[in-house]
């Protein structure tokens, strides 16, 4: 508790200033600082520097200098660093998960699961020596062979969002370096602590200087990445307006870009769905990570007689969810990222009501004992949401589930496909025929059948569609290998007069 000016001064003095990691050295840039805040308490955890274009430039120069030798390091040797990193991540899993909870708000269990998926991406990238192989054809014409090989691109960079501080950089980074590229990572300025710790572990692997660089910052650093002539490929994850901006500007600069954007994920509940299972899964999807998942269910479309029992079951489950600080025992849902986000979510709920929706469970301004300063919104359920209303289209990115009702599966699929988003769509049913129809017709890149968060495993791509993705190759899996390599085709013929001896 800060009780006087002296204590306040001490608290400010002791706040850690985070550092960048460039060319194998930790450094504090000359930059404006931003508070990193625990969303459950509003306590300042650290200060993050908002690095400038010159910091990005030095990181790019370091990565470019490290590239020739790293590229010549055999893939089998490159992945040895990743095997070491996997062990270090496992040994430090709880500490990293605790850091995620502190800066991002999600529960400790959710944070552990997030880090687990990060590790799975390291594991898949360890297969790069075989994943990166090319192919060839002998005798495409008499005595002529054609060979395709994959080569790294050079310097690549990632720009990450706040909601998965530990996992999302791992959709890209392990694949990029395993393929022989060198790297720059810019974490979200809202949650930079986790990657600060991860970078200490990367340093411990003994990776050569300059192969991976960490630059903290916000818009200025992002713009510098988009414009920097050395940086050849950019991976972005964040909101759709910024994704579109990053995609356009980086592509205009001739870069390879993949941008994963926002979402508004519908789930359809047919009358033949298992009600208990569907309720449990929906609640976890809509309110897990406080609804701040790009794969969170945000619209539940009931079909026919499913409406009444499902609405009652969801209302009950939403009201009883335990909300609080994610490190406290038994807490099922933490706060949203900050107070601006809480205010935005609450005003969107009000907008929904003004547009004609009615409230089933109201989670606004909850009292969470002991955490009065936290940015909490409890699970909220709205019904009678009109398909053409703003609340049905706007990504809320908070613990709010809107409910709509239609009479047939065709109406439900038409509703799913009418939206601008295409990140995920799910169906709950016990009919195989309905499931097949849905997976065939639904316009989304990640489909769940009796699944509420259809998150692809690390060895599958994270396939958003429509306004949820800008680009071609997605993060993770084989797409990542293709994104971080360029193919080269060689057509070759050798002359030899076999009548002459060597
Ligand atoms: P955001 O777009 O605000 O920020 C993402 C990154 O872009 C950050 O690193 C930030 O520093 C930078 N940035 C923000 N504004 C910028 C600007 N004007 N110019 C240049 N750079 C800018 O996103 P967020 O709030 O951190 O993350 C939440 C969003 O991310 C949600 O929309 C969510 O759906 C989306 N998301 C998508 C996926 C996916 O796989 N599709 C995964 C996770 C999150």
């Amino acid at each position: 508790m800060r009780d006087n000016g002296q204590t306040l001064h001490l608290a400010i003095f002791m706040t850690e200033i985070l550092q960048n990691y460039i060319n194998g050295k930790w450094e504090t840039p000359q930059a404006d600082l931003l508070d990193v805040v625990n969303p459950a308490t509003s306590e300042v955890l650290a200060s993050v520097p908002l690095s400038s274009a010159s910091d990005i430039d030095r990181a790019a120069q370091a990565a470019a200098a490290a590239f020739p030798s790293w590229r010549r390091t055999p893939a089998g040797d490159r992945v040895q660093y990743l095997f070491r990193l996997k062990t270090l991540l496992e040994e430090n899993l709880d500490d990293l998960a605790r850091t995620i909870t502190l800066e991002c708000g999600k529960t400790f269990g959710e944070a552990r699961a997030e880090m687990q998926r990060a590790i799975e991406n390291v594991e898949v990238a360890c297969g790069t020596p075989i994943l990166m192989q090319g192919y060839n054809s002998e005798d495409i014409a008499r005595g002529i062979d054609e060979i395709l090989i994959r080569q790294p691109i050079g310097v690549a960079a990632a720009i990450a969002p706040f909601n998965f501080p530990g996992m999302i950089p791992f959709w890209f980074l392990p694949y990029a370096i395993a393929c022989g590229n060198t790297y720059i990572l810019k974490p979200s300025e809202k949650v930079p602590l986790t990657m600060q710790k991860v970078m200490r572990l990367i340093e411990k692997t003994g990776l050569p200087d300059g192969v991976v660089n960490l630059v903290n910052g916000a818009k200025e650093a992002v713009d510098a990445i988009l414009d920097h002539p050395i940086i050849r490929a950019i991976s972005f994850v964040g909101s759709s307006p910024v994704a579109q901006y990053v995609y356009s500007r980086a592509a205009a600069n001739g870069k390879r870009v993949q941008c994963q954007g926002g979402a508004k994920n519908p789930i359809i509940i047919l009358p033949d769905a298992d009600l208990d299972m569907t309720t449990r899964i929906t609640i976890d999807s809509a309110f897990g990570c406080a609804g701040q998942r790009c794969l969170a269910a945000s619209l539940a479309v009931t079909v026919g007689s499913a409406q009444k029992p499902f609405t009652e079951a969801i209302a009950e489950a939403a009201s009883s969810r335990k909300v609080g600080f994610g490190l406290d025992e038994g807490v099922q849902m933490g706060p949203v990222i900050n107070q601006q986000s809480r205010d935005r979510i609450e005003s969107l709920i009000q907008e929904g009501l003004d547009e004609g929706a009615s409230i089933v469970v109201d989670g606004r301004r909850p009292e969470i004992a002991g955490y009065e300063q936290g940015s909490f919104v409890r699970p909220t359920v709205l019904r009678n949401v009109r398909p053409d209303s703003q609340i049905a289209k706007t990504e809320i990115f908070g613990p709010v589930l809107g409910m709509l009702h239609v009479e047939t599966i065709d109406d439900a699929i038409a509703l799913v496909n009418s939206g601008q988003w295409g990140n995920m769509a799910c169906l709950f049913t016990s009919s195989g025929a309905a499931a097949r129809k849905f997976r065939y017709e639904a316009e989304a890149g990640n489909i769940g059948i009796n699944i509420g968060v259809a998150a692809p495993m690390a060895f599958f791509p994270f396939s958003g569609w429509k306004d949820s993705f800008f680009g071609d190759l997605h993060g993770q899996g084989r797409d990542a290998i293709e994104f971080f390599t360029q193919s080269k085709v060689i057509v070759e013929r050798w002359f030899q007069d076999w009548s002459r001896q060597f």
Side-chain angles (χ1 to χ4, degrees), residues 160-163 186 189 222 236-239 260-262 294 395 397 462:
F162 80 79
N163 63 327
K186 193 215 76 71
E189 66 278 19
V222 172
F236 171 91
V237 182
S239 58
Q260 304 189 195
C294 68
E395 178 179 41
F397 221 55
F462 197 105

Side-chain angles (χ1 to χ4, degrees), residues 159-164 168 171 186-190 217-220 222-223 226 236-240 242-243 245-246 260-263 292-295 395 397 423 462 464 468:
I159 300 159
F162 80 79
N163 63 327
F164 283 92
I168 286 177
W171 286 352
K186 193 215 76 71
S188 164
E189 66 278 19
K190 293 176 188 147
K219 183 169 170 53
E220 183 178 346
V222 172
D223 286 347
L226 306 182
F236 171 91
V237 182
S239 58
S240 282
V242 183
Y245 164 75
V246 166
Q260 304 189 195
Q292 298 172 122
R293 271 195 293 223
C294 68
L295 295 180
E395 178 179 41
F397 221 55
N423 218 31
F462 197 105
S468 298

Side-chain angles (χ1 to χ4, degrees), residues 110-134:
E110 290 168 340
R112 278 193 107 251
E114 167 177 351
M115 278 318 300
Q116 203 57 54
R117 182 54 55 87
I119 292 167
E120 285 164 19
N121 274 281
V122 176
E123 289 168 356
V124 174
C126 285
T128 295
I130 193 161
L131 291 170
M132 203 182 159
Q133 285 177 345

Side-chain angles (χ1 to χ4, degrees), residues 139-374:
D139 286 329
I140 53 151
R142 192 174 292 269
I144 301 178
D145 304 326
E146 187 158 341
I147 303 161
L148 180 140
I149 57 174
R150 296 200 166 280
Q151 296 188 332
I153 311 169
V155 178
I159 300 159
F162 80 79
N163 63 327
F164 283 92
M167 176 184 73
I168 286 177
F170 281 93
W171 286 352
F172 313 110
L173 188 151
Y175 303 95
I177 63 170
C179 288
N181 303 282
T182 51
Y183 216 60
I184 302 170
L185 172 65
K186 193 215 76 71
S188 164
E189 66 278 19
K190 293 176 188 147
V191 292
L193 289 168
T194 307
M195 277 302 126
Q196 191 89 173
K197 288 197 166 177
V198 165
M199 201 54 65
R200 297 260 174 214
L201 301 180
I202 291 177
E203 189 181 19
K204 276 194 188 167
T205 65
L207 202 66
D209 292 351
V211 173
V212 175
N213 304 276
L214 173 78
V215 182
N216 287 292
K219 183 169 170 53
E220 183 178 346
V222 172
D223 286 347
I225 290 172
L226 306 182
D227 294 341
H228 203 290
I230 285 178
I231 299 171
R232 299 279 318 280
I234 296 173
S235 306
F236 171 91
V237 182
S239 58
S240 282
V242 183
Q244 191 162 15
Y245 164 75
V246 166
Y247 184 72
S248 320
R249 185 154 165 175
N253 285 327
K255 300 182 196 311
R256 187 178 285 202
V257 209
Q258 50 181 191
C259 294
Q260 304 189 195
K264 181 87 185 176
N265 303 305
I267 61 167
I268 298 176
I269 300 98
L270 296 188
D272 65 357
D274 176 321
L275 186 65
D276 286 350
M277 179 194 71
T278 305
T279 306
R280 213 169 1 94
I281 293 174
T282 302
I283 285 289
D284 181 58
S285 176
F287 306 126
C289 299
Q292 298 172 122
R293 271 195 293 223
C294 68
L295 295 180
S298 51
L299 287 178
V301 184
T302 52
V303 177
S305 61
Q307 183 181 27
K308 189 166 181 294
F310 182 71
T311 309
E312 287 168 3
I314 284 290
E316 156 115 30
S319 316
S320 58
R321 201 152 178 94
K322 186 162 183 232
V323 178
F325 177 36
L327 292 181
D328 289 347
E329 204 58 44
V331 165
Q332 295 170 302
M333 193 181 102
V336 298
I337 188 67
N338 54 33
Q339 294 183 355
Q340 296 94 292
S341 188
R342 179 198 59 194
D343 295 348
R344 187 184 50 79
I345 292 163
E346 290 188 344
S347 70
L348 281 167
I349 294 170
Q350 187 57 49
E351 220 175 281
L353 298 178
D354 296 344
E355 287 179 317
S358 45
I359 200 132
V360 181
V361 181
D362 192 348
R364 289 173 289 179
R365 296 287 151 161
E367 284 180 15
I368 309 290
Y371 297 100
E372 287 74 13
Q373 304 306 314

